[in-house]
Amino acid sequence: MPNHVYATIMLLAGIGIPLLAALNAALGQRMGSPAAAATILFCVALCVAAVATLVTGPGALTRAVGAPPHLFLAGTLVAFYVLSVTAIAPRFGVGNAVFFVLVGQLISAAIIDHFGLFGAPVKPLTAARGAGLALMAGGVVLTQRA
């Protein structure tokens, strides 16, 4: 696929993060339980992922056997994100919650790219990249000041 298609898909994924936060936070408030709302979210997500797996090739699931255990930490991380944003966004605001998520993503992505962690291509953190990341973080700060 061309890079602009990847960029479009990731832009849409990024648009979805605050929507996920707002929708699940509202569901958690309605239910009186952020954990119950997160459970429902993961049940729906499991169904969607299962259908996608069936359509794209269910045989790939067998290759998870024997994978290094640390690769399964991603499930814990997404659960932590969903549980925390569902519980905190109604009290702290969706914008504030997502602000800190974005800053955390910028820091984490820069570290992963710099060291090529988990098989990612190595993209050293140069002064120019660092300045760009600082500008992005500054822009995120400005959006929350008003």
Side-chain angles (χ1 to χ4, degrees):
M1 266 193 269
N3 283 343
H4 73 277
V5 174
Y6 293 142
T8 301
I9 291 168
M10 295 317 302
L11 178 67
L12 293 172
I15 289 168
I17 288 175
L19 291 171
L20 176 159
L23 292 168
N24 221 50
L27 181 61
Q29 291 246 278
R30 180 182 182 99
M31 297 173 66
S33 172
T39 300
I40 290 172
L41 177 142
F42 285 115
C43 287
V44 172
L46 174 63
C47 292
V48 172
V51 168
T53 300
L54 290 172
V55 169
T56 61
L61 286 174
T62 61
R63 292 191 292 273
V65 175
H70 72 276
L71 296 181
F72 297 101
L73 178 62
T76 302
L77 294 171
V78 75
F80 174 72
Y81 167 73
V82 169
L83 286 164
S84 61
V85 78
T86 301
I88 292 171
R91 295 166 180 83
F92 194 49
V94 171
N96 285 331
V98 171
F99 160 77
F100 284 100
V101 168
L102 288 172
V103 172
Q105 287 177 328
L106 290 173
I107 293 166
S108 181
I111 292 168
I112 290 168
D113 284 350
H114 181 76
F115 294 105
L117 301 176
F118 314 113
V122 174
K123 293 186 180 177
L125 183 58
T126 62
R129 262 190 104 211
L133 289 168
L135 284 171
M136 289 173 67
V140 174
V141 170
L142 287 175
T143 66
Q144 293 308 302
R145 290 195 139 203

